[in-house]
Structures are given as C-alpha cells and as structure tokens.
Short mmCIF file of all heavy atoms in Angstrom, two decimals:
data_model
loop_
_atom_site.label_atom_id
_atom_site.label_comp_id
_atom_site.label_asym_id
_atom_site.label_seq_id
_atom_site.Cartn_x
_atom_site.Cartn_y
_atom_site.Cartn_z
N MET A 114 -15.34 -77.60 -23.09
CA MET A 114 -16.70 -78.07 -23.32
C MET A 114 -17.23 -78.83 -22.12
O MET A 114 -18.36 -78.66 -21.74
CB MET A 114 -16.71 -78.93 -24.59
CG MET A 114 -18.07 -79.30 -25.03
SD MET A 114 -18.91 -77.87 -25.71
CE MET A 114 -20.25 -78.62 -26.49
N LYS A 115 -16.41 -79.65 -21.51
CA LYS A 115 -16.83 -80.44 -20.35
C LYS A 115 -17.26 -79.54 -19.20
O LYS A 115 -18.23 -79.83 -18.53
CB LYS A 115 -15.69 -81.34 -19.87
CG LYS A 115 -15.66 -82.68 -20.52
CD LYS A 115 -16.71 -83.55 -19.91
CE LYS A 115 -16.32 -84.99 -20.11
NZ LYS A 115 -17.46 -85.85 -20.10
N MET A 116 -16.53 -78.45 -18.98
CA MET A 116 -16.83 -77.57 -17.87
C MET A 116 -18.22 -76.96 -18.02
O MET A 116 -18.98 -76.89 -17.08
CB MET A 116 -15.79 -76.46 -17.75
CG MET A 116 -16.02 -75.57 -16.56
SD MET A 116 -16.02 -76.43 -14.99
CE MET A 116 -14.30 -76.40 -14.62
N ARG A 117 -18.58 -76.58 -19.20
CA ARG A 117 -19.91 -76.01 -19.43
C ARG A 117 -21.00 -77.02 -19.09
O ARG A 117 -22.01 -76.68 -18.50
CB ARG A 117 -20.07 -75.54 -20.86
CG ARG A 117 -19.24 -74.33 -21.19
CD ARG A 117 -19.43 -73.94 -22.64
NE ARG A 117 -18.52 -72.90 -23.01
CZ ARG A 117 -18.89 -71.63 -23.18
NH1 ARG A 117 -20.15 -71.29 -23.04
NH2 ARG A 117 -18.01 -70.73 -23.52
N GLU A 118 -20.80 -78.25 -19.47
CA GLU A 118 -21.76 -79.31 -19.16
C GLU A 118 -21.88 -79.51 -17.65
O GLU A 118 -22.97 -79.65 -17.11
CB GLU A 118 -21.29 -80.60 -19.83
CG GLU A 118 -22.33 -81.66 -19.99
CD GLU A 118 -21.81 -82.82 -20.81
OE1 GLU A 118 -21.37 -82.59 -21.97
OE2 GLU A 118 -21.83 -83.94 -20.29
N LEU A 119 -20.75 -79.51 -16.98
CA LEU A 119 -20.73 -79.65 -15.53
C LEU A 119 -21.43 -78.48 -14.85
O LEU A 119 -22.22 -78.66 -13.93
CB LEU A 119 -19.28 -79.75 -15.03
CG LEU A 119 -19.09 -79.87 -13.53
CD1 LEU A 119 -19.74 -81.14 -13.01
CD2 LEU A 119 -17.60 -79.87 -13.20
N GLU A 120 -21.17 -77.28 -15.32
CA GLU A 120 -21.80 -76.10 -14.74
C GLU A 120 -23.31 -76.13 -14.96
O GLU A 120 -24.07 -75.76 -14.06
CB GLU A 120 -21.20 -74.82 -15.33
CG GLU A 120 -19.76 -74.58 -14.95
CD GLU A 120 -19.57 -74.51 -13.45
OE1 GLU A 120 -20.37 -73.85 -12.76
OE2 GLU A 120 -18.61 -75.11 -12.95
N GLN A 121 -23.76 -76.57 -16.11
CA GLN A 121 -25.20 -76.67 -16.37
C GLN A 121 -25.85 -77.68 -15.43
O GLN A 121 -26.96 -77.45 -14.93
CB GLN A 121 -25.48 -77.06 -17.83
CG GLN A 121 -25.18 -75.96 -18.81
CD GLN A 121 -26.03 -74.73 -18.56
OE1 GLN A 121 -27.22 -74.81 -18.26
NE2 GLN A 121 -25.41 -73.56 -18.66
N THR A 122 -25.17 -78.77 -15.15
CA THR A 122 -25.68 -79.77 -14.21
C THR A 122 -25.79 -79.18 -12.81
O THR A 122 -26.78 -79.40 -12.11
CB THR A 122 -24.78 -81.02 -14.21
OG1 THR A 122 -24.73 -81.54 -15.53
CG2 THR A 122 -25.30 -82.06 -13.26
N LYS A 123 -24.80 -78.41 -12.40
CA LYS A 123 -24.84 -77.76 -11.09
C LYS A 123 -26.02 -76.81 -10.99
O LYS A 123 -26.71 -76.75 -9.97
CB LYS A 123 -23.55 -76.99 -10.84
CG LYS A 123 -22.35 -77.85 -10.56
CD LYS A 123 -21.13 -76.96 -10.34
CE LYS A 123 -19.88 -77.75 -10.12
NZ LYS A 123 -18.72 -76.85 -9.92
N ILE A 124 -26.26 -76.07 -12.05
CA ILE A 124 -27.37 -75.11 -12.06
C ILE A 124 -28.70 -75.84 -11.95
O ILE A 124 -29.58 -75.43 -11.20
CB ILE A 124 -27.30 -74.22 -13.32
CG1 ILE A 124 -26.10 -73.28 -13.24
CG2 ILE A 124 -28.60 -73.44 -13.52
CD1 ILE A 124 -25.76 -72.57 -14.53
N GLN A 125 -28.85 -76.93 -12.69
CA GLN A 125 -30.09 -77.71 -12.62
C GLN A 125 -30.31 -78.26 -11.22
O GLN A 125 -31.44 -78.23 -10.71
CB GLN A 125 -30.05 -78.85 -13.63
CG GLN A 125 -30.14 -78.40 -15.06
CD GLN A 125 -29.90 -79.54 -16.04
OE1 GLN A 125 -29.60 -80.67 -15.66
NE2 GLN A 125 -30.04 -79.24 -17.32
N CYS A 126 -29.26 -78.77 -10.60
CA CYS A 126 -29.37 -79.29 -9.24
C CYS A 126 -29.76 -78.19 -8.26
O CYS A 126 -30.60 -78.40 -7.38
CB CYS A 126 -28.07 -79.95 -8.80
SG CYS A 126 -27.73 -81.49 -9.64
N ALA A 127 -29.17 -77.03 -8.40
CA ALA A 127 -29.48 -75.91 -7.51
C ALA A 127 -30.94 -75.49 -7.66
O ALA A 127 -31.63 -75.23 -6.67
CB ALA A 127 -28.55 -74.74 -7.80
N ARG A 128 -31.44 -75.45 -8.88
CA ARG A 128 -32.84 -75.08 -9.10
C ARG A 128 -33.78 -76.08 -8.44
O ARG A 128 -34.77 -75.69 -7.80
CB ARG A 128 -33.14 -74.97 -10.58
CG ARG A 128 -32.53 -73.74 -11.20
CD ARG A 128 -32.88 -73.60 -12.64
NE ARG A 128 -32.25 -72.38 -13.14
CZ ARG A 128 -32.42 -71.92 -14.35
NH1 ARG A 128 -33.21 -72.54 -15.19
NH2 ARG A 128 -31.81 -70.82 -14.73
N LYS A 129 -33.48 -77.37 -8.56
CA LYS A 129 -34.30 -78.39 -7.92
C LYS A 129 -34.26 -78.24 -6.40
O LYS A 129 -35.27 -78.36 -5.72
CB LYS A 129 -33.84 -79.79 -8.32
CG LYS A 129 -34.16 -80.14 -9.74
CD LYS A 129 -33.65 -81.53 -10.07
CE LYS A 129 -33.90 -81.86 -11.53
NZ LYS A 129 -33.37 -83.19 -11.88
N PHE A 130 -33.07 -77.98 -5.87
CA PHE A 130 -32.89 -77.80 -4.43
C PHE A 130 -33.74 -76.65 -3.91
O PHE A 130 -34.49 -76.78 -2.95
CB PHE A 130 -31.41 -77.57 -4.13
CG PHE A 130 -31.13 -77.24 -2.70
CD1 PHE A 130 -31.12 -78.23 -1.73
CD2 PHE A 130 -30.84 -75.94 -2.31
CE1 PHE A 130 -30.86 -77.94 -0.41
CE2 PHE A 130 -30.57 -75.64 -1.00
CZ PHE A 130 -30.58 -76.64 -0.04
N PHE A 131 -33.65 -75.49 -4.57
CA PHE A 131 -34.39 -74.33 -4.11
C PHE A 131 -35.89 -74.46 -4.36
O PHE A 131 -36.69 -73.90 -3.62
CB PHE A 131 -33.81 -73.05 -4.70
CG PHE A 131 -32.51 -72.67 -4.06
CD1 PHE A 131 -31.32 -72.73 -4.77
CD2 PHE A 131 -32.47 -72.28 -2.74
CE1 PHE A 131 -30.12 -72.39 -4.16
CE2 PHE A 131 -31.28 -71.93 -2.13
CZ PHE A 131 -30.10 -72.00 -2.84
N ASP A 132 -36.29 -75.18 -5.40
CA ASP A 132 -37.71 -75.46 -5.60
C ASP A 132 -38.26 -76.25 -4.41
O ASP A 132 -39.35 -75.97 -3.91
CB ASP A 132 -37.95 -76.25 -6.88
CG ASP A 132 -37.89 -75.39 -8.12
OD1 ASP A 132 -37.98 -74.16 -8.02
OD2 ASP A 132 -37.76 -75.98 -9.22
N GLU A 133 -37.51 -77.24 -3.96
CA GLU A 133 -37.93 -78.05 -2.82
C GLU A 133 -38.01 -77.21 -1.55
O GLU A 133 -38.97 -77.30 -0.78
CB GLU A 133 -36.99 -79.23 -2.62
CG GLU A 133 -37.37 -80.13 -1.48
CD GLU A 133 -38.71 -80.83 -1.66
OE1 GLU A 133 -39.13 -81.03 -2.81
OE2 GLU A 133 -39.33 -81.18 -0.64
N ILE A 134 -37.03 -76.38 -1.33
CA ILE A 134 -37.07 -75.50 -0.15
C ILE A 134 -38.28 -74.58 -0.24
O ILE A 134 -38.99 -74.37 0.74
CB ILE A 134 -35.77 -74.66 -0.05
CG1 ILE A 134 -34.60 -75.55 0.33
CG2 ILE A 134 -35.94 -73.54 0.98
CD1 ILE A 134 -33.29 -74.83 0.35
N GLY A 135 -38.55 -74.06 -1.42
CA GLY A 135 -39.69 -73.18 -1.61
C GLY A 135 -41.01 -73.85 -1.30
O GLY A 135 -41.94 -73.21 -0.82
N ARG A 136 -41.11 -75.13 -1.57
CA ARG A 136 -42.35 -75.86 -1.27
C ARG A 136 -42.51 -76.10 0.22
O ARG A 136 -43.62 -76.24 0.71
CB ARG A 136 -42.36 -77.19 -2.00
CG ARG A 136 -42.76 -77.09 -3.45
CD ARG A 136 -43.05 -78.46 -4.02
NE ARG A 136 -41.84 -79.23 -4.24
CZ ARG A 136 -41.08 -79.16 -5.32
NH1 ARG A 136 -41.41 -78.34 -6.28
NH2 ARG A 136 -40.00 -79.90 -5.44
N ARG A 137 -41.41 -76.15 0.94
CA ARG A 137 -41.47 -76.48 2.37
C ARG A 137 -41.66 -75.28 3.28
O ARG A 137 -41.92 -75.44 4.46
CB ARG A 137 -40.20 -77.22 2.79
CG ARG A 137 -40.09 -78.58 2.16
CD ARG A 137 -38.88 -79.28 2.65
NE ARG A 137 -38.73 -80.57 1.99
CZ ARG A 137 -38.03 -81.56 2.48
NH1 ARG A 137 -37.39 -81.42 3.62
NH2 ARG A 137 -37.95 -82.69 1.83
N ILE A 138 -41.51 -74.08 2.75
CA ILE A 138 -41.67 -72.89 3.59
C ILE A 138 -42.79 -72.02 3.05
O ILE A 138 -43.23 -72.16 1.92
CB ILE A 138 -40.37 -72.06 3.68
CG1 ILE A 138 -39.96 -71.55 2.30
CG2 ILE A 138 -39.26 -72.85 4.32
CD1 ILE A 138 -38.86 -70.55 2.33
N ASN A 139 -43.21 -71.10 3.86
CA ASN A 139 -44.26 -70.16 3.49
C ASN A 139 -43.68 -69.10 2.56
O ASN A 139 -42.67 -68.47 2.87
CB ASN A 139 -44.81 -69.52 4.76
CG ASN A 139 -46.00 -68.65 4.49
OD1 ASN A 139 -46.33 -68.35 3.34
ND2 ASN A 139 -46.66 -68.23 5.55
N GLU A 140 -44.32 -68.86 1.42
CA GLU A 140 -43.81 -67.87 0.46
C GLU A 140 -43.79 -66.45 1.02
O GLU A 140 -43.09 -65.59 0.51
CB GLU A 140 -44.63 -67.90 -0.82
CG GLU A 140 -44.25 -69.04 -1.73
CD GLU A 140 -44.85 -68.89 -3.12
OE1 GLU A 140 -45.14 -67.75 -3.53
OE2 GLU A 140 -44.99 -69.90 -3.79
N ASP A 141 -44.57 -66.19 2.06
CA ASP A 141 -44.56 -64.85 2.66
C ASP A 141 -43.24 -64.58 3.37
O ASP A 141 -42.87 -63.43 3.57
CB ASP A 141 -45.71 -64.70 3.65
CG ASP A 141 -47.06 -64.72 2.95
OD1 ASP A 141 -47.11 -64.44 1.74
OD2 ASP A 141 -48.05 -65.03 3.64
N GLN A 142 -42.55 -65.63 3.78
CA GLN A 142 -41.29 -65.47 4.50
C GLN A 142 -40.10 -65.32 3.56
O GLN A 142 -39.27 -64.44 3.71
CB GLN A 142 -41.05 -66.66 5.42
CG GLN A 142 -42.09 -66.78 6.50
CD GLN A 142 -41.95 -68.07 7.29
OE1 GLN A 142 -41.42 -69.06 6.78
NE2 GLN A 142 -42.39 -68.05 8.53
N VAL A 143 -40.01 -66.22 2.59
CA VAL A 143 -38.87 -66.22 1.67
C VAL A 143 -39.36 -66.65 0.29
O VAL A 143 -40.20 -67.54 0.16
CB VAL A 143 -37.79 -67.23 2.13
CG1 VAL A 143 -36.64 -67.28 1.13
CG2 VAL A 143 -37.27 -66.89 3.51
N LYS A 144 -38.83 -66.01 -0.74
CA LYS A 144 -39.15 -66.41 -2.10
C LYS A 144 -37.85 -66.65 -2.85
O LYS A 144 -36.98 -65.79 -2.89
CB LYS A 144 -39.95 -65.33 -2.83
CG LYS A 144 -40.28 -65.73 -4.25
CD LYS A 144 -41.03 -64.65 -4.97
CE LYS A 144 -41.27 -65.08 -6.41
NZ LYS A 144 -41.80 -64.00 -7.21
N TYR A 145 -37.71 -67.84 -3.41
CA TYR A 145 -36.55 -68.16 -4.21
C TYR A 145 -36.90 -68.00 -5.67
O TYR A 145 -37.98 -68.39 -6.10
CB TYR A 145 -36.10 -69.60 -3.95
CG TYR A 145 -35.54 -69.80 -2.58
CD1 TYR A 145 -36.30 -70.34 -1.55
CD2 TYR A 145 -34.23 -69.42 -2.29
CE1 TYR A 145 -35.78 -70.51 -0.29
CE2 TYR A 145 -33.70 -69.58 -1.02
CZ TYR A 145 -34.49 -70.13 -0.03
OH TYR A 145 -33.98 -70.29 1.22
N ASP A 146 -35.99 -67.41 -6.44
CA ASP A 146 -36.21 -67.22 -7.86
C ASP A 146 -34.86 -67.30 -8.57
O ASP A 146 -33.82 -67.31 -7.92
CB ASP A 146 -36.87 -65.87 -8.12
CG ASP A 146 -37.72 -65.87 -9.37
OD1 ASP A 146 -37.50 -66.74 -10.25
OD2 ASP A 146 -38.59 -65.00 -9.48
N VAL A 147 -34.89 -67.35 -9.87
CA VAL A 147 -33.68 -67.44 -10.66
C VAL A 147 -33.53 -66.17 -11.47
O VAL A 147 -34.49 -65.71 -12.09
CB VAL A 147 -33.73 -68.66 -11.62
CG1 VAL A 147 -32.52 -68.70 -12.53
CG2 VAL A 147 -33.87 -69.94 -10.84
N VAL A 148 -32.34 -65.60 -11.43
CA VAL A 148 -32.03 -64.44 -12.27
C VAL A 148 -30.77 -64.74 -13.06
O VAL A 148 -29.93 -65.54 -12.63
CB VAL A 148 -31.85 -63.15 -11.45
CG1 VAL A 148 -33.13 -62.77 -10.75
CG2 VAL A 148 -30.73 -63.28 -10.45
N THR A 149 -30.66 -64.11 -14.20
CA THR A 149 -29.48 -64.33 -15.03
C THR A 149 -28.60 -63.09 -15.15
O THR A 149 -27.52 -63.16 -15.72
CB THR A 149 -29.88 -64.80 -16.44
OG1 THR A 149 -30.76 -63.82 -17.01
CG2 THR A 149 -30.57 -66.15 -16.39
N ASN A 150 -29.10 -61.96 -14.58
CA ASN A 150 -28.27 -60.77 -14.61
C ASN A 150 -28.67 -59.83 -13.48
O ASN A 150 -29.70 -60.03 -12.81
CB ASN A 150 -28.35 -60.06 -15.97
CG ASN A 150 -29.76 -59.66 -16.32
OD1 ASN A 150 -30.43 -58.99 -15.54
ND2 ASN A 150 -30.22 -60.06 -17.50
N TYR A 151 -27.88 -58.83 -13.27
CA TYR A 151 -28.06 -57.92 -12.14
C TYR A 151 -29.36 -57.12 -12.25
O TYR A 151 -30.05 -56.93 -11.26
CB TYR A 151 -26.86 -56.97 -12.06
CG TYR A 151 -26.91 -56.05 -10.88
CD1 TYR A 151 -26.64 -56.53 -9.60
CD2 TYR A 151 -27.24 -54.71 -11.02
CE1 TYR A 151 -26.69 -55.69 -8.50
CE2 TYR A 151 -27.29 -53.86 -9.93
CZ TYR A 151 -27.01 -54.36 -8.67
OH TYR A 151 -27.07 -53.53 -7.58
N SER A 152 -29.72 -56.69 -13.44
CA SER A 152 -30.93 -55.89 -13.57
C SER A 152 -32.18 -56.71 -13.23
O SER A 152 -33.13 -56.18 -12.65
CB SER A 152 -31.04 -55.26 -14.96
OG SER A 152 -31.10 -56.26 -15.94
N ASP A 153 -32.20 -57.99 -13.56
CA ASP A 153 -33.31 -58.86 -13.17
C ASP A 153 -33.38 -58.99 -11.65
O ASP A 153 -34.46 -58.96 -11.07
CB ASP A 153 -33.18 -60.25 -13.78
CG ASP A 153 -33.42 -60.28 -15.28
OD1 ASP A 153 -33.91 -59.27 -15.83
OD2 ASP A 153 -33.11 -61.32 -15.90
N LEU A 154 -32.23 -59.12 -11.03
CA LEU A 154 -32.18 -59.21 -9.57
C LEU A 154 -32.75 -57.96 -8.94
O LEU A 154 -33.58 -58.02 -8.03
CB LEU A 154 -30.74 -59.43 -9.10
CG LEU A 154 -30.51 -59.36 -7.59
CD1 LEU A 154 -31.28 -60.46 -6.87
CD2 LEU A 154 -29.04 -59.43 -7.27
N MET A 155 -32.33 -56.81 -9.41
CA MET A 155 -32.81 -55.56 -8.84
C MET A 155 -34.31 -55.37 -9.05
O MET A 155 -35.01 -54.84 -8.20
CB MET A 155 -32.03 -54.38 -9.40
CG MET A 155 -30.57 -54.36 -8.97
SD MET A 155 -30.31 -54.60 -7.19
CE MET A 155 -31.11 -53.19 -6.50
N ALA A 156 -34.82 -55.81 -10.18
CA ALA A 156 -36.26 -55.72 -10.43
C ALA A 156 -37.04 -56.57 -9.42
O ALA A 156 -38.07 -56.13 -8.91
CB ALA A 156 -36.58 -56.17 -11.86
N LEU A 157 -36.53 -57.76 -9.10
CA LEU A 157 -37.19 -58.60 -8.10
C LEU A 157 -37.11 -57.99 -6.71
O LEU A 157 -38.07 -58.04 -5.94
CB LEU A 157 -36.57 -60.00 -8.09
CG LEU A 157 -36.93 -60.89 -9.27
CD1 LEU A 157 -36.08 -62.17 -9.23
CD2 LEU A 157 -38.40 -61.24 -9.24
N VAL A 158 -35.96 -57.42 -6.38
CA VAL A 158 -35.79 -56.81 -5.06
C VAL A 158 -36.73 -55.62 -4.90
O VAL A 158 -37.39 -55.47 -3.89
CB VAL A 158 -34.32 -56.39 -4.85
CG1 VAL A 158 -34.17 -55.53 -3.61
CG2 VAL A 158 -33.43 -57.62 -4.77
N LYS A 159 -36.82 -54.80 -5.94
CA LYS A 159 -37.70 -53.62 -5.88
C LYS A 159 -39.16 -54.04 -5.81
O LYS A 159 -39.95 -53.39 -5.13
CB LYS A 159 -37.45 -52.72 -7.07
CG LYS A 159 -36.12 -52.00 -6.98
CD LYS A 159 -35.86 -51.17 -8.21
CE LYS A 159 -34.48 -50.53 -8.13
NZ LYS A 159 -34.14 -49.80 -9.34
N ALA A 160 -39.52 -55.11 -6.50
CA ALA A 160 -40.91 -55.58 -6.49
C ALA A 160 -41.30 -56.10 -5.10
O ALA A 160 -42.45 -55.99 -4.70
CB ALA A 160 -41.10 -56.66 -7.53
N ALA A 161 -40.34 -56.65 -4.39
CA ALA A 161 -40.61 -57.20 -3.07
C ALA A 161 -40.69 -56.12 -1.99
O ALA A 161 -41.25 -56.35 -0.93
CB ALA A 161 -39.52 -58.21 -2.69
N ALA A 162 -40.12 -54.98 -2.27
CA ALA A 162 -40.09 -53.90 -1.26
C ALA A 162 -41.39 -53.19 -1.13
O ALA A 162 -42.33 -53.28 -1.74
CB ALA A 162 -39.00 -52.91 -1.61
#
C-alpha cells in the first residue's frame, strides 16, 4: 500500500514539473502531455504529425 502512495506522489510531482517546463517554452517546439497507455500515446504522436 505504501508503494502505491509513493508512486502517486512521484506522478504528481512529475506533472507539476512538466507543466512548469511547458509554460517556459513555446508550444510550437515541444508539447508535454500525460498518457496512461500506448494507444493514447500513439494518438498524440499521429495528431502531431
């Protein structure tokens, strides 16, 4: 149970980190997003192409 709580905290920290990076750079250069599975990732990659 503890590990799941720790992992959720890591995920929240990573999202905050990438949100901050996203605010500091131009979205035309790089876009950060969150996916939970491979098909979501591929949909984002195809949409960007």
